[in-house]
Amino acid sequence: MEEEMHTDAKIRAETGTGSSPRGPGCSLRHFACEQNLLSRPDGSASFLQGDTSVLAGVYGPAEVKVSKEIFNKATLEVILRPKIGLPGVAEKSRERLIRNTCEAVVLGTLHPRTSITVVLQVVSDAGSLLACCLNAACMALVDAGVPMRALFCGVTCALDSDGTLMLDPTSKQEKEARAVLTFALDSVERKLLMSSTKGLYSDAELQQCLAAAQAASQHVFRFYRESLQRRYSKS
Amino acid sequence: MKETPLSNCERRFLLRAIEEKKRLDGRQTYDYRNIRISFGTDYGCCIVELGKTRVLGQVSCELVSPKLNRATEGILFFNLELSQMAAPAFEPGRQSDLLVKLNRLLERCLRNSKCIDTESLCVVAGEKVWQIRVDLHLLNHDGNIIDAASIAAIVALCHFRRPDVSVQGDEVTLYTPEERDPVPLSIHHMPICVSFAFFQQGTYLLVDPNEREECVMDGLLVIAMNKHREICTIQSSGGIMLLKDQVLRCSKIAGVKVAEITELILKALENDQKVRKEGGKFGFAESIANQRITAFKMEKAPIDTSDVEEKAEEIIAEAEPPSEVVSTPVLWTPGTAQIGEGVENSWGDLEDSEKEDDEGGGDEAIILDSIKMDTGVEVSDIGSQDAPIILSDSEEEEMIILEPDKNPKKIRTQTTSAKQEKAPSKKPVKRRKKKRAAN
């Protein structure tokens, strides 16, 4: 099994990492996740999808400013910082999408008048950035021990000009695609938590992408489960 | 979040340990923590870990017009950001002192030392030069930010490759990375900062203080040096008084440390270049250690999407048809259209809360309204109807303006008389506009 993986690695190496063309069937890129890598935040995770990498740090439940406190639940705040330049409107909109997803999942009523802060730093962007941010945020929240009703994952689909569906597109594929759709799905029933789309597509294509994303989310949740199993294997 | 204050017993413990030449992590007085440098897939991206302090550095370039007084030199721009994940106390408004100090020190170390050849960044004199931008993000704060940041900056600059440009007469050709290999920056030397923390009014010295040691230190001496033992920057902060031989001793120690760190950097750069040339795997994915129990990798996973179309058709067949939406836009005048009825106007609420608002808040609303109003004529018209009553020219007296429809509202003193005139005329205008909108 390991030898197969080595030969796979060699074949990939010849074509260069990150730029290998994927076959007609959809596939997700190479995933990697490391938890608890920062010492100051309560929870942290680094999530890599191919060449896209996002680092997430979570502080919470912690003290909240009186102006921001909510009397019956936790105040969730998401901060996304790009690698180059100052954060702009695109970052603000992504922050809001991620915050809405987290608020649907985090059991804020268990920690009223506290704040849960999720800080995301883009380490490298090679396509499917929003999905990678969502995955990193989820793993960081798990690492911090924040109570949640379900896990969530992000999956990106791209539709190119002849209608072919691609999962987890690279930045080149995203640029050439007719439409790029990102979905956040929950782990219990694969229901849709958040969707953010860009481009032109029909309603049949939307449902197809959603079904494909649900199929892909199975793999992502299996990855989460295996990585957590590994982490807690020695107790 | 507020910073957890250091308890007195912890402070005493640290100081007593330092007096006995002991450090909490077992290091010697002149020992550095482990430095780990990893590179990303794009050129100019690196993460430096100095113990647990982690800094991400990225270099990017852009063609811009040069500064007017330096027409043949490129532009260097440094930006260190203390990310909110680095420490709970780092909030957007709160870290300005530390941030300014670090940024300034970094600029002096890298820009004033002329380690990058800016003349080589010129493309067309007076018109186009390269602007090199170095963005550093502190990801985890465990002390000694400046050392980690300076290492990250110089490593990222050495790793970076800019697109190749050729100038033939008047024609300038910019090659993409696919056409021609990108070109490294021309770097003369590598300045690296070394920090020394002083305790008990300069009696005890520690190299590379960690976060706890920084909390109890009296002062900090930072020396930026390159491997040729040239001092690029030296800064002493904290108000400690150092003797001449103490500073000389520190500079000797810095020389030794910088030589070690420079060797480490060169080795890391060489390794990365070798891996890239041989076509091996590079990037952050490779630097995640396999053996760590908290790290997990999964190879490329194919997804079976063959039944996607059937599922989609099923869902659409079962779903209710979308409700008919007929939009009837009404055109009032050229440029003003209305779709739908809208909800009840909530501007009425704003009037009540305004009375409790600060003058500052009121001013903001004034500015917004003045932008909304198309013609300045409107303002002056209403202003002249309501000729502002200037009781006296004195800037210290309180001024009370009686408005025709509202209760008199006291206006605090303004700094200039021009403002005095404008403020009263604008307030009635604002009220009137609100009333119109409420109708």
Side-chain angles (χ1 to χ4, degrees):
Chain A
M1 208 22 202
E2 274 187 4
E3 299 205 4
E4 275 178 44
M5 282 173 61
H6 277 297
T7 47
D8 266 355
K10 281 214 184 104
I11 294 168
R12 243 215 319 283
E14 282 164 15
T15 56
T17 40
S19 57
S20 52
R22 272 176 276 159
C26 304
S27 61
L28 298 172
R29 293 180 282 182
H30 164 100
F31 272 21
C33 173
E34 188 177 352
Q35 288 188 310
N36 208 12
L37 59 162
L38 304 177
S39 68
R40 295 304 291 273
D42 295 330
S44 55
S46 165
F47 204 87
L48 285 88
Q49 277 179 228
D51 284 336
T52 307
S53 163
V54 174
L55 180 62
V58 168
Y59 282 104
E63 199 189 329
V64 68
K65 267 195 251 189
V66 184
S67 55
K68 288 196 207 158
E69 82 175 2
I70 304 176
F71 74 98
N72 61 342
K73 57 183 191 160
T75 311
L76 200 94
E77 212 183 303
V78 175
I79 296 155
L80 175 63
R81 289 264 178 269
K83 196 161 53 156
I84 301 173
L86 293 168
V89 180
E91 279 72 42
K92 271 274 172 289
S93 111
R94 285 197 192 113
E95 281 174 13
R96 176 162 274 240
L97 293 168
I98 298 169
R99 194 180 80 216
N100 287 345
T101 317
C102 292
E103 275 180 355
V105 164
V106 165
L107 296 169
T109 47
L110 288 178
H111 298 284
R113 296 186 312 280
T114 63
S115 81
I116 299 175
T117 313
V118 181
V119 187
L120 296 153
Q121 172 69 51
V122 176
V123 173
S124 68
D125 180 8
S128 319
L129 183 64
L130 184 57
C132 195
C133 290
L134 284 162
N135 295 335
C138 180
M139 296 252 64
L141 284 165
V142 167
D143 187 43
V146 172
M148 297 196 276
R149 69 168 58 86
L151 298 181
F152 58 92
C153 81
V155 183
T156 311
C157 299
L159 286 165
D160 66 0
S161 36
D162 45 343
T164 333
L165 202 134
M166 283 177 289
L167 282 172
D168 200 14
T170 60
S171 34
K172 190 158 164 287
Q173 287 170 331
E174 273 185 357
K175 242 186 277 197
E176 295 165 0
R178 165 169 53 99
V180 178
L181 303 92
T182 305
F183 300 107
L185 301 160
D186 95 311
S187 62
V188 180
E189 287 172 29
R190 315 266 175 285
K191 283 201 174 156
L192 185 65
L193 291 170
M194 182 276 294
S195 87
S196 164
T197 65
K198 184 174 75 160
L200 193 66
Y201 52 89
S202 69
D203 51 349
E205 285 173 337
L206 170 66
Q207 293 298 339
Q208 284 174 20
C209 287
L210 191 49
Q214 283 174 329
S217 67
Q218 302 254 27
H219 283 261
V220 183
F221 290 128
R222 190 161 56 96
F223 175 74
Y224 285 0
R225 180 175 287 270
E226 285 176 12
S227 99
L228 284 168
Q229 265 175 345
R230 177 185 161 90
R231 184 164 170 205
Y232 294 111
S233 59
K234 295 202 179 146
S235 51
Chain B
M1 249 161 285
K2 255 193 277 192
E3 179 80 49
T4 325
L6 190 67
S7 57
N8 282 337
C9 46
E10 199 171 355
R11 177 185 297 269
R12 251 179 281 136
F13 181 73
L14 282 161
L15 289 172
R16 280 287 297 277
I18 291 169
E19 282 170 27
E20 296 174 16
K21 304 268 194 237
K22 292 201 180 103
R23 290 176 91 161
L24 284 182
D25 45 10
R27 286 187 280 158
Q28 299 298 318
T29 321
Y30 301 145
D31 277 353
Y32 251 81
R33 287 171 284 182
N34 278 336
I35 301 179
R36 200 164 155 257
I37 302 175
S38 48
F39 297 96
T41 36
D42 23 335
Y43 281 117
C45 180
C46 73
I47 288 188
V48 170
E49 292 169 52
L50 176 61
K52 294 194 202 145
T53 303
R54 201 182 279 241
V55 178
L56 164 72
Q58 173 71 58
V59 178
S60 52
C61 66
E62 207 191 351
L63 276 175
V64 295
S65 4
K67 293 199 178 131
L68 292 170
N69 53 346
R70 296 257 186 272
T72 54
E73 284 183 14
I75 303 175
L76 278 175
F77 182 71
F78 298 98
N79 183 33
L80 170 65
E81 245 188 53
L82 302 175
S83 166
Q84 274 183 257
M85 71 169 92
F90 288 161
E91 266 172 28
R94 284 252 204 102
Q95 358 131 338
S96 47
D97 260 358
L98 178 63
L99 194 64
V100 168
K101 177 172 161 225
L102 292 169
N103 267 304
R104 191 67 200 115
L105 192 51
L106 206 65
E107 269 198 28
R108 278 167 55 200
C109 168
L110 292 163
R111 193 203 296 265
N112 296 6
S113 64
K114 306 236 187 292
C115 61
I116 311 273
D117 180 15
T118 44
E119 298 272 347
S120 68
L121 297 172
C122 178
V123 174
V124 178
E127 283 174 33
K128 285 285 176 210
V129 298
W130 284 112
Q131 178 188 48
I132 304 292
R133 190 197 162 101
V134 183
D135 283 287
L136 299 161
H137 301 271
L138 178 70
L139 303 173
N140 196 42
H141 177 28
D142 196 32
N144 206 1
I145 303 173
I146 188 63
D147 284 19
S150 76
I151 296 175
I154 203 66
V155 167
L157 284 165
C158 292
H159 191 247
F160 181 62
R161 303 275 181 274
R162 65 164 172 84
D164 197 6
V165 178
S166 72
V167 184
Q168 275 146 347
D170 274 339
E171 224 183 77
V172 178
T173 333
L174 179 67
Y175 297 104
T176 61
E178 287 87 35
E179 292 172 12
R180 265 208 209 170
D181 275 344
V183 154
L185 297 175
S186 135
I187 296 176
H188 295 309
H189 60 96
M190 306 208 293
I192 292 171
C193 294
V194 177
S195 303
F196 299 88
F198 288 95
F199 303 85
Q200 314 286 38
Q201 282 82 45
T203 327
Y204 301 101
L205 150 74
L206 285 182
V207 175
D208 185 19
N210 72 14
E211 207 255 328
R212 294 282 98 165
E213 290 163 356
E214 273 187 356
C215 288
V216 298
M217 73 182 174
D218 284 338
L220 185 73
L221 174 71
V222 179
I223 302 182
M225 221 188 229
N226 60 24
K227 70 171 184 206
H228 310 291
R229 304 180 59 87
E230 298 169 326
I231 292 184
C232 306
T233 301
I234 185 163
Q235 171 165 312
S236 162
S237 55
I240 35 148
M241 287 174 291
L242 295 170
L243 300 167
K244 189 175 63 178
D245 56 335
Q246 274 177 316
V247 179
L248 270 175
R249 192 156 44 103
C250 289
S251 60
K252 286 204 184 96
I253 300 168
V256 172
K257 293 295 161 193
V258 164
E260 288 169 10
I261 296 174
T262 312
E263 213 184 284
L264 183 79
I265 292 176
L266 290 172
K267 218 184 335 168
L269 285 165
E270 207 186 287
N271 275 346
D272 180 71
Q273 209 177 357
K274 204 164 46 153
V275 171
R276 276 174 203 256
K277 220 193 290 198
E278 289 169 4
K281 290 200 274 189
F282 51 87
F284 290 126
E286 297 319 305
S287 51
I288 289 188
N290 263 334
Q291 308 86 356
R292 284 221 192 122
I293 204 169
T294 51
F296 189 65
K297 293 192 201 183
M298 184 173 85
E299 299 303 324
K300 220 166 75 165
I303 308 275
D304 182 18
T305 53
S306 46
D307 56 346
V308 152
E309 286 190 13
E310 288 114 48
K311 269 199 206 160
E313 276 167 358
E314 267 177 42
I315 292 176
I316 294 180
E318 284 173 28
E320 292 169 10
S323 53
E324 274 292 301
V325 177
V326 181
S327 61
T328 51
V330 180
L331 189 69
W332 293 106
T333 68
T336 312
Q338 180 179 342
I339 300 178
E341 291 300 314
V343 290
E344 197 182 293
N345 202 296
S346 59
W347 280 61
D349 300 341
L350 214 69
E351 292 207 47
D352 295 326
S353 62
E354 243 174 36
K355 295 226 173 85
E356 296 146 26
D357 261 1
D358 275 350
E359 170 91 350
D363 274 341
E364 271 194 283
I366 295 170
I367 294 164
L368 282 172
D369 265 349
S370 65
I371 294 169
K372 276 189 210 158
M373 289 191 285
D374 283 337
T375 51
V377 179
E378 220 182 329
V379 183
S380 54
D381 270 344
I382 298 168
S384 59
Q385 284 168 26
D386 216 22
I389 305 159
I390 303 169
L391 299 174
S392 78
D393 273 343
S394 165
E395 291 177 350
E396 277 141 13
E397 278 181 27
E398 268 188 358
M399 234 177 51
I400 304 172
I401 303 293
L402 294 171
E403 289 165 28
D405 347 281
K406 293 288 170 193
N407 301 324
K409 183 175 177 181
K410 281 198 177 158
I411 300 172
R412 271 182 266 135
T413 53
Q414 307 285 330
T415 47
T416 59
S417 53
K419 253 190 169 179
Q420 272 180 339
E421 285 180 281
K422 269 197 183 161
S425 67
K426 278 193 174 171
K427 276 208 185 295
V429 167
K430 180 163 53 82
R431 304 281 157 123
R432 245 174 241 142
K433 244 203 126 125
K434 293 268 160 68
K435 284 205 142 184
R436 259 188 259 129
N439 295 339

